[in-house]
């Protein structure tokens, strides 16, 4: 009997996903790159001589940052002088030296402003003999609100809302927001100058663009005040944004106030940015586990974006190819894809991008033998649900049909949660405390099998 | 200097696509599977003893069928007794024994009905000592209209239009149409009974479902009269379709008239269906050429479907992965994908699914070095245009921008044709006389390169 029955493959998928999650646990990510060796702090391929520093501070923000802090406190012990970080409500862990502030996400609040002030206060005392360790993770942008002088949090929010209403893209939004912040776009590194800054970054953004993750508090910014004026002009918003915003941008263009940090700026000269975890790490660990389970593996990409139900078609196309040919990888096969899809919500149902992807994929593979689809968010929270994602096979749609739950209607209504809940096919991990976007799995058993090859062999 | 500059890679892409086209030339497909050896006609893995037959007939329909006929006449010479085939206006080639009828496509016309009558007349005389060679290719369904007695072509069209207006899917449409036809759903094989029938099929349908290609004139049908009544009931059309259609379906359900041919039916017992060409054949030939050119190759699937601009995201995600990692295949890399995407038309522009896919993909890879995207229809006709598809690289969007042609606007307006026409980046092959859906290529040069990795190395 094959070791790759659909039932076993469903268990395998859960195990493969779990291996991915474990690889990106915040503590593990920090420990993998940060080590104390005598008086030297090894961070990635660099060594920092602790004898050169009077103080070692830990700052940062993000949903996974407290757990990164746990590992850092463990590694540094007494060498850590002080620390201040912001995280989302409910995301605290017991830290000894780092003061945690819980605050609003995704909408920033005054608690976030107060916490960020605390972080900036701490950095104000940083000098040449200070080492600042900055722990950055997903959510860090909203969790470190720090409007520049003369601009209120409400001004920032209003400007953001106007841009969103005009259909501005995320690059445009970020450019404008960085120019209204004391922290984003290298602002945190500037605040810490002339200290040595080591930024440990857990990436939740596809492609790991360091200037985008948490809005790049220690990373140079490619946009300028002129960019901002251009963007506001493009959407005819120059005279609709709060007057203080326009004044600031105009003063910036005239060179009266300094722009965000640029590549080569002295304020970034003592700054090391190190990616300590990303989707690729989870995907590689998943691949390794799949290989250990006996699958031939193929990682398609760690950068998959696009409408979830359409991406599902692509995965199903690969699954069917494997089931009916030796391409692109021989059976039993596990294809792994990372990234983050989106859902254009049209219905009134409940779901998330991973669940919707698996629902659409289930329709494509309906009636096929030996194929399992799985997709999950590494944070354990897919959309506004308590599930990380869902799993499906060739019988899923028929099982749901028999229970009076037509897949097409549930998909139409963006109601994947209730579709899979009734089948017992939600993937529930609970919040994982980390986030490196999503991992999708396509498993194809040894036999492969197509409902299309239903003609007697003798006909061929 | 690298052999894999973007300029060279564009030439390579054209050459790789061309290799795919050559592999599925109709003549070549027939010759690959049909051979005369003394008195034996070898077709695939079967041998037909020509001494057993008094007559050898050639029938069929499709856009590529005349060129399949050319090869067949060549192979059989004097052994071919007679023949009749239908093809689209303008698709004739000079045949000696096979009488060609040009007729309407995609909307069937009376010329088609007359031509199909000629085919059925020819088969009427077929007996046990007749060998019928049936040449089937894309378009064969519309090109062989043969309404059953009592039903007019207009009745069929009206029924089809009603179903389309209700949002019926292609499986439902085909079930109903097969039950109104003397040819579809095994009808042609039934007409030829008790002759031996060898059907040579050039597939234009993703996944090569033999009962779907040209509506399966020599292939068993899974649907029944009961299926048809159920479909009409589902859309509340039972009393809105022409009365003759309803009467026929009801008589069928009552067993008063025979259903379409089913698996195991005696009328199909002497029928060999052989796939002689499909997307996989083109894709494999393309892969071989890419390998010869020095690329590491990966065939993703021959079954890609979905919205063209969304599929483009998936290809771009794979391209970027290759450019920035050793996955899923090392550089220089050529990823090949076959299938047929769709376009939801919202704008008023001109284009086709391949051109739109490349336009959307060009936006994704904009600014990236060493990536070329290419997609083309193997029939040489992408949508209602004279182009087969288009090609793009990381500079394409910037080049168009500089010429005042913003990619986003052209995509929004479904106007990929004019976007690429202005750049000289349309792929023009002219009509190829064959059709096995589309072939898409993703080429990534040796270096790879990401605009996102724009930070100085020292920052890492």
């Amino acid at each position: 009997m094959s070791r790759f029955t659909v039932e076993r493959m469903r268990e395998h998928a859960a195990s493969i996903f779990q291996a991915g999650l474990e690889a990106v646990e915040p503590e593990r990510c920090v420990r993998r790159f940060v080590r104390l060796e005598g008086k030297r702090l090894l961070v990635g391929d660099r060594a920092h001589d602790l004898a050169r520093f009077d103080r070692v501070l830990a700052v940062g923000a993000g949903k996974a940052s407290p757990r990164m802090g746990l590992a850092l406190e463990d590694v540094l012990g007494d060498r850590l002088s002080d620390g201040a970080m912001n995280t989302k409500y409910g995301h605290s862990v017991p830290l000894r030296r780092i003061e945690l502030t819980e605050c609003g996400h995704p909408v920033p609040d005054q608690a976030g402003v107060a916490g960020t002030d605390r972080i900036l206060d701490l950095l104000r005392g940083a000098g040449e003999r200070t080492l600042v360790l900055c722990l950055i993770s997903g959510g860090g942008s909203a969790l470190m609100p720090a409007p520049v002088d003369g601009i209120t949090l409400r001004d920032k929010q209003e400007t953001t809302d106007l841009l969103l209403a005009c259909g501005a893209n995320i690059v445009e939004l970020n450019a404008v927001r960085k120019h209204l912040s004391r922290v984003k776009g290298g602002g945190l590194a500037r605040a810490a100058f002339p200290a040595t800054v080591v930024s440990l970054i857990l990436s939740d953004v596809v492609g790991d663009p360091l200037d985008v993750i948490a809005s790049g508090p220690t990373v140079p910014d490619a946009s300028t005040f002129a960019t901002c004026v251009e963007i506001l002009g493009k959407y005819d918003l120059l005279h609709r944004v709060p007057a203080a915003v326009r004044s600031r941008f105009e003063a910036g263009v005239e060179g009266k106030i300094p722009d965000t940090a640029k590549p080569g700026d002295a304020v970034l000269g003592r700054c090391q940015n190190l990616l300590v975890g990303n989707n690729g790490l989870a995907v590689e660990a998943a691949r390794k586990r799949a290989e250990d389970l006996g699958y031939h593996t193929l990682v398609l990409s760690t950068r998959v974006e696009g409408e979830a139900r359409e991406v599902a078609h692509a995965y199903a196309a690969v699954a069917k190819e494997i089931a009916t040919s030796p391409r692109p990888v021989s059976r039993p096969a596990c294809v792994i894809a990372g990234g983050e899809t989106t859902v254009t919500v049209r219905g009134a149902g409940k779901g998330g991008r991973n669940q919707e992807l698996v629902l659409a994929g289930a329709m494509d593979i309906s009636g096929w033998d030996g194929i399992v689809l799985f997709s999950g968010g590494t944070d354990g929270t897919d959309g506004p649900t308590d599930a990380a994602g869902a799993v499906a096979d060739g019988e899923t749609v028929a099982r749901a049909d028999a229970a009076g739950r037509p897949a097409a209607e549930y998909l139409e209504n963006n109601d994947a949660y209730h579709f899979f809940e009734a089948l017992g096919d939600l993937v529930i991990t609970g919040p994982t405390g980390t986030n490196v976007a999503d991992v999708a799995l396509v498993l194809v058993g040894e036999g492969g099998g197509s409902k299309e090859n239903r003609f007697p062999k003798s006909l061929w």
Side-chain angles (χ1 to χ4, degrees), chain A residues 379-438:
Chain A
D379 61 356
T381 309
D382 188 35
T385 78
D386 60 0
V391 60
D393 59 49
E395 297 302 310
T396 297
V397 167
R399 277 172 60 216
D401 256 343
R405 296 176 174 269
E409 281 176 28
Y410 279 76
L411 182 60
E412 182 71 22
N413 197 31
N414 300 116
D415 202 15
Y417 182 85
H418 292 118
F419 180 86
F420 287 113
E421 186 186 34
L423 295 172
D425 284 344
L426 288 171
V427 172
I428 309 272
T429 60
T432 61
T434 189
N435 183 17
V436 294
D438 304 332

Side-chain angles (χ1 to χ4, degrees), chain A residues 84 86 110-124 145-147 182-183:
Chain A
N86 290 357
Q110 284 302 330
V113 173
T116 312
D117 278 341
R118 213 161 295 139
I119 292 169
L120 292 171
D121 280 345
L122 193 61
L123 295 181
R124 204 154 288 136
R182 284 180 292 155
V183 166

Side-chain angles (χ1 to χ4, degrees), chain A residues 175-250:
Chain A
V176 168
R177 288 191 292 204
K178 283 184 182 179
H179 284 84
L180 297 174
S181 163
R182 284 180 292 155
V183 166
K184 303 181 205 304
L188 199 74
R190 189 195 298 260
F193 188 80
T196 296
V197 176
V198 174
S199 208
L200 306 177
I201 303 169
L202 185 55
S203 169
D204 66 328
V205 182
V206 166
D208 312 322
L210 298 190
D211 56 340
V212 177
I213 302 161
S215 294
T218 58
V219 178
D221 174 28
S223 65
T224 63
F225 278 114
T227 316
C228 296
V229 169
E230 198 178 302
I231 292 165
L232 293 187
K234 172 178 171 187
Y235 296 109
D236 208 14
L237 290 178
L238 253 180
H239 295 273
R240 291 175 59 204
V241 294
V245 170
R246 188 180 71 245
S247 310
R248 176 173 172 80
F249 288 177
E250 289 174 347

